[in-house]
Amino acid sequence: MNLSLALMLQLTILLPLLATLAIAATGQKPNLREAITISISLVVLYCVVNLYHALKAGASIAVSWWELIPGLEISFVVEPLGMLFALIASFLWLITTIYAIGYMRGHGEDNQTRFYLCFALAISAVMGLAFSANLFTLFVFYEVLTLSTYPLVTHAGTDKAKKGGRVYLGILLSTSIAFFLLAIILTWFVAGSLEFKSGGVFGPSVDTGLVGAILVLFVFGIGKAAIMPFHRWLPAAMVAPTPVSALLHAVAVVKAGVFTVLKICIFIFGLDLLPSLPTTEFLLYLASISVLLASIVAMRQDNLKARLAYSTVSQLGYITIGALLATSSGVIGSSMHIATHAFGKITLFFCAGAILVAAHKSKVSEMRGLGFTMPVTMAAFFIASLSIIGVPPAGGTWSKWFLLMGTMETGYWSIMMVLMLSSLLNIAYLLPIPYHAFFPGKEHSPTKAGLKEAPLPSLIALSITTLGCLLLFIYPQPFYELANAILTVPGVSHEQ
């Protein structure tokens, strides 16, 4: 049984990689190419779900591939936080592939084979990152994810796409090399280990000033977490096709960033050490400023994808705040927000793409009355907006509740007010869109053209993710249990 579980763990990483060869070989046969993509994503999801059940049953699953020098190796382990991320990414890869079939064909996109190939390569990187057993492995797959998504960002091949790609690659690579890599090297020299360990790797007599500086390097170096001022890559990447924006910039890339922040806070620094570091409070307030400013900027964007991009910058700040609070509620809230925000934001991007394909509109100011021709899409947009805002009956309610509890437990009342104000701003920049779509006013009479929704595959995909937003409110237990399991690992549990 252990052998089969170890094999499944490796297949989650290797199968998407092998899929790239099959996709390249069948590029001239679109139906076969897309059938292969869906089939591989189903097998990967099957493996991840089996690993999830094995983890729940108490199985210990670890694999080592290659040791560079003693203590520095490419190795993987199944633990609750990585499992939570892998479940989301593997499921949404399948759903986004279904969506992409409708979108890419409906929009008449070029280079579709390259699109699916790079998509699979990116998912392979995500799986390797999710199950990383140490910082070295995580860094390798973190960089592979950056490089594999660059062709997706520049997919259109226009000057605008190339410029967006340069910003994307420039910020993510420069922060990785200047800060992230330096933080890893310093951790190696100070702690003597890069392994993810319960309670962290730094000893009790460590210099908190030095470790505090390392924490700053990590937070700034993980550019994918999009903390201001290292956030501009995310809006720049919105030149990509909507399926790319949806999965890679609402789930895989940005969630890889905040997942990395969360994993490092828990398993490199430890929840007991974090509050005593002199830079933790500074980073908490920096993340809070990022949350607030990004929400304000989002309100001023007329381009729908740009508005959603700045909304993502704000929401990622929530997860970073939860990690830095270093409490049980903060960790649970951050972990659950990875899931609830993923379903909410991917649905909003799916809706934006559906509107572009069916109505050829990309500006918020052009969407009055759209609810009469695209009722399914705009209803989905409304439900997903509720999840991002954090109100019933959508899943974002629970993650934001735990994050607010974390600020109350630690006495950060100003940060609690920032989170509440940000949710009010979420209402201001999201809800008017579906409201005006269904209630356009007398000056915008409903069109008589009848229904004109996006292609059926895209409509099915956004309906599934919308249902996910609702189910995460009704039945959040699987993700809550995984989040709580992070704290029940010996040496991790912490109460403020």
Side-chain angles (χ1 to χ4, degrees), residues 160-190:
K160 185 178 179 182
K162 291 174 182 176
K163 182 181 177 182
R166 286 195 296 271
V167 173
Y168 177 83
L169 204 60
I171 292 177
L172 292 186
L173 286 181
S174 61
T175 52
S176 285
I177 295 167
F179 304 125
F180 194 7
L181 183 58
L182 178 58
I184 292 172
I185 293 169
L186 287 173
T187 300
W188 172 269
F189 280 108
V190 174

Side-chain angles (χ1 to χ4, degrees), residues 18-26 29-42 93 97:
L18 295 173
T20 61
L21 302 176
I23 290 167
T26 55
K29 300 176 180 178
N31 290 341
L32 181 57
R33 175 192 65 203
E34 288 152 18
I36 288 170
T37 305
I38 289 177
S39 299
I40 295 293
S41 63
L42 279 167
W93 180 32
T97 299

Side-chain angles (χ1 to χ4, degrees), residues 3 15 20 34 43 48 58 68 72 97 101 106 123 130 153 222 296 298 324 388 400 403 418 433 451 478 481:
L3 179 63
L15 278 176
T20 61
E34 288 152 18
V43 176
V48 172
L68 181 63
L72 205 64
T97 299
I101 292 169
I123 293 299
V153 174
I222 303 167
I296 293 169
L324 292 169
I388 299 298
K400 288 200 173 185
L403 288 168
V418 165
I433 298 171
L451 297 180
E481 287 170 0

Side-chain angles (χ1 to χ4, degrees), residues 321-337:
I321 287 171
L324 292 169
L325 286 173
T327 66
S328 299
S329 295
V331 169
I332 291 172
S334 287
S335 303
M336 291 185 69
H337 205 60

Side-chain angles (χ1 to χ4, degrees), residues 165-394:
R166 286 195 296 271
V167 173
Y168 177 83
L169 204 60
I171 292 177
L172 292 186
L173 286 181
S174 61
T175 52
S176 285
I177 295 167
F179 304 125
F180 194 7
L181 183 58
L182 178 58
I184 292 172
I185 293 169
L186 287 173
T187 300
W188 172 269
F189 280 108
V190 174
S193 173
L194 297 180
E195 294 293 316
F196 292 121
K197 295 179 182 177
S198 301
V201 298
F202 296 104
S205 59
V206 72
D207 182 346
T208 55
L210 176 58
V211 176
I214 293 173
L215 177 63
V216 173
L217 288 173
F218 271 123
V219 173
F220 284 164
I222 303 167
K224 291 185 177 73
I227 291 295
M228 289 183 173
F230 302 108
H231 69 288
R232 286 185 57 249
W233 65 269
L234 207 159
M238 291 301 108
V239 296
T242 301
V244 177
S245 303
L247 184 66
L248 301 183
H249 305 298
V251 182
V253 174
V254 295
K255 291 307 184 299
V258 286
F259 164 81
T260 300
V261 170
L262 190 55
K263 190 152 186 172
I264 286 172
C265 284
I266 297 170
F267 296 111
I268 294 297
F269 291 93
L271 300 185
D272 290 320
L273 178 62
L274 267 179
S276 66
L277 299 180
T279 54
T280 301
E281 189 168 14
F282 158 72
L283 292 171
L284 272 168
Y285 285 117
L286 179 66
S288 301
I289 291 169
S290 187
V291 166
L292 204 54
L293 288 182
S295 296
I296 293 169
V297 174
M299 290 182 65
R300 302 179 61 186
Q301 304 301 310
D302 191 35
N303 182 281
L304 180 55
K305 283 178 67 177
R307 183 174 293 198
L308 296 180
Y310 278 102
S311 169
T312 297
V313 174
S314 176
Q315 296 293 316
L316 295 178
Y318 281 67
I319 300 171
T320 302
I321 287 171
L324 292 169
L325 286 173
T327 66
S328 299
S329 295
V331 169
I332 291 172
S334 287
S335 303
M336 291 185 69
H337 205 60
I338 289 176
T340 60
H341 177 259
F343 275 88
K345 189 55 62 72
I346 201 169
T347 304
L348 293 178
F349 274 117
F350 280 173
C351 292
I355 292 166
L356 182 63
V357 169
H360 310 293
K361 298 180 187 296
S362 59
K363 293 184 177 179
V364 173
S365 56
E366 299 172 341
M367 295 179 186
R368 283 180 178 268
L370 207 57
F372 296 99
T373 53
M374 304 184 71
V376 176
T377 299
M378 296 316 300
F381 194 101
F382 173 67
I383 293 169
S385 296
L386 295 182
S387 190
I388 299 298
I389 294 163
V391 293

